[in-house]
Amino acid sequence: IALGALVGLVLALVAAGEPVSQLKPTGYIDDFAHVLDGNTIAQLDNMCAQVDQKAHAQIAVVTIHSLDGGDIESYAVDLFKQWGVGGKSTNRGVLILLAVGDHRDRIEVGYGLEPILPDGKVGGFGREAVPLLQQNDYNRAVSLLTARVADVIAKDAGIALTGTQPPAPAEP
C-alpha cells in the first residue's frame, strides 16, 4: 500500500500544473512539459528568431503539463503579461500555449498584431492542429501553429523566412 501511495504522489506531482508566477522564459521556446524533441525546438527557435529580428515581433511557444483546473484563456493572458511577450511599446507578440495534460491550446495575440492575427484566423490554426494533438504529435502540432503565425507576420512585414519548412497538413 505504501508503494501505491508513493506512486500516486509522484504522478500527482508530475501532473501538477505550473503556476504562472513560477515560470521563467529561457528563450522563444519553453517546453516545460518536455514533449518537444531537440530538432523541433531548434527549428522553432530559428523561426521565432527570424520573426523577431526581421519583422520586429515576438513569438513565444510554451508547453505546460496542466492548468490545475484553471481556464487556458486566463492562464495565457497572465503568462503573456508577466513575460512581456512582444514588448510594452509595440505589443507585437504572440504566445502559443499548449497544456498537454488538459488537451487545451491557446494562441494569445498582442494588440499590435491583432489586425493581422484576429481570433478567427488563429482559431482556424488551432482547429487545423487538432488531429495532430489528438495523436499526441506535439512536435508537428506546435510546428504547424508556430509556422502559421510566423507566416502571417512575415507576409505582413514583407520579409521572407529562410530555412523553415512549411508544415505538412494534419491527417484527418
Side-chain angles (χ1 to χ4, degrees):
I1 293 177
L3 181 60
L6 181 60
V7 168
L9 178 62
V10 169
L11 287 174
L13 290 174
V14 169
E18 296 87 344
V20 169
S21 61
Q22 293 180 9
L23 298 181
K24 304 295 180 224
T26 60
Y28 298 109
I29 316 304
D30 286 292
D31 183 23
F32 298 113
H34 306 290
V35 294
L36 303 175
D37 64 36
N39 186 40
T40 299
I41 291 171
Q43 287 178 348
L44 294 173
D45 191 62
N46 173 41
M47 192 183 313
C48 293
Q50 288 186 63
V51 168
D52 196 0
Q53 293 159 7
K54 296 177 181 180
H56 310 292
Q58 289 182 343
I59 301 172
V61 178
V62 179
T63 69
I64 60 171
H65 292 287
S66 172
L67 299 163
D68 261 351
D71 68 284
I72 194 155
E73 292 82 7
S74 299
Y75 194 101
V77 168
D78 291 348
L79 189 61
F80 189 95
K81 286 180 182 174
Q82 179 178 308
W83 286 11
V85 179
K88 282 188 175 182
S89 61
T90 61
N91 212 351
R92 287 177 50 87
V94 177
L95 169 66
I96 298 172
L97 175 64
L98 190 63
V100 177
D102 298 315
H103 306 287
R104 299 295 315 267
D105 63 279
R106 172 87 178 169
I107 300 176
E108 191 64 34
V109 179
Y111 293 124
L113 292 173
E114 278 186 353
I116 62 168
L117 289 166
D119 290 347
K121 182 173 280 197
V122 297
F125 299 159
R127 286 186 293 281
E128 190 179 353
V130 166
L132 296 170
L133 293 169
Q134 288 172 336
Q135 298 165 18
N136 295 330
D137 189 346
Y138 301 113
N139 290 301
R140 285 183 55 212
V142 172
S143 294
L144 175 81
L145 293 170
T146 307
R148 293 293 188 255
V149 167
D151 286 346
V152 169
I153 294 170
K155 282 186 179 108
D156 181 69
I159 57 126
L161 301 177
T162 57
T164 60
Q165 306 156 348
E171 299 291 324

